Amino acid sequence: DAGITQSPRHKVTETGTPVTLRCHQTENHRYMYWYRQDPGHGLRLIHYSYGVKDTDKGEVSDGYSVSRSKTEDFLLTLESATSSQTSVYFCAIRQTGAPYEQYFGPGTRLTVT
Amino acid sequence: RKEVEQDPGPFNVPEGATVAFNCTYSNSASQSFFWYRQDCRKEPKLLMSVYSSGNEDGRFTAQLNRASQYISLLIRDSKLSDSATYLCVVGNFGNEKLTFGTGTRLTIIP
């Protein structure tokens, strides 16, 4: 158990509304990640953070923004949700030492109608 | 070509059998390699890291072939609880970013 929680665990929202997903960790890891998982695709990186206020884009960042104002919290915001953003969203942390494994939170299942 | 390629399966294997999965990766500069397992509607969980010399953890053995750019996972004496999707994962230096395969689905049959 890597001490990662995600909220909400399930959400249904309408197209065009903003949505914020929260990832919380209790072990002071520097690196945190947001992925999405869709059928036929591997997990794909949306954004990641390497410290407070330090973030960078992943391969599928369009339509998403992130913020990290505290070490323990990493927020993912869908500015204006679209049906293509219906997915399962996983947060992860990276261990400090080699081989730098990543551990995942339980996921948020988001449906955009 | 996908960065990480896996046979999606499904592999349906009788309990007690040995099963092997392979995975190929395209980036020769990749530095770290992992196998994760994912149960239905759950998060991926680290099964094992894969080291250059190969490594074993109980019934599980992982091998890395850098020359041919593939990773393998061998499961011996398979159990019903081994039924899951197995994800091959490759990382860059320091694992700042990981690239995931789409997974191989395994079902162990009683």
Side-chain angles (χ1 to χ4, degrees), chain A residues 1-106:
Chain A
D1 183 0
I4 308 167
T5 56
Q6 293 184 231
S7 59
R9 295 292 314 280
H10 301 271
K11 186 170 182 67
V12 180
T13 192
E14 292 185 351
T15 298
T17 59
V19 176
T20 296
L21 309 182
R22 179 180 183 240
C23 177
H24 178 79
Q25 55 132 337
T26 58
E27 298 182 356
N28 210 37
H29 294 287
R30 181 181 167 200
Y31 278 78
M32 297 183 75
Y33 300 80
W34 277 108
Y35 293 90
R36 60 178 289 174
Q37 186 174 36
D38 305 289
H41 296 274
L43 275 83
R44 292 180 292 174
L45 181 64
I46 305 171
H47 283 277
Y48 69 102
S49 169
Y50 46 96
V52 172
K53 292 187 167 54
D54 292 323
T55 65
D56 204 352
K57 295 179 179 180
E59 64 177 298
V60 291
S61 59
D62 287 348
Y64 301 95
S65 62
V66 289
S67 65
R68 191 160 178 210
S69 58
K70 298 185 290 185
T71 298
E72 58 266 35
D73 289 323
F74 191 31
L75 304 181
L76 176 71
T77 297
L78 288 64
E79 318 277 350
S80 175
T82 67
S83 58
S84 64
Q85 293 176 312
T86 292
S87 188
V88 180
Y89 292 86
F90 289 104
C91 173
I93 58 90
R94 193 195 78 170
Q95 289 282 39
T96 303
Y100 305 106
E101 300 103 333
Q102 290 190 16
Y103 293 90
F104 289 82

Side-chain angles (χ1 to χ4, degrees), chain B residues 42-60:
Chain B
K42 298 286 190 180
E43 73 272 24
K45 292 189 176 178
L46 180 67
L47 180 65
M48 56 198 305
S49 304
V50 186
Y51 301 109
S52 296
S53 56
N55 46 302
E56 187 174 309
D57 183 0
R59 299 181 293 108
F60 298 85

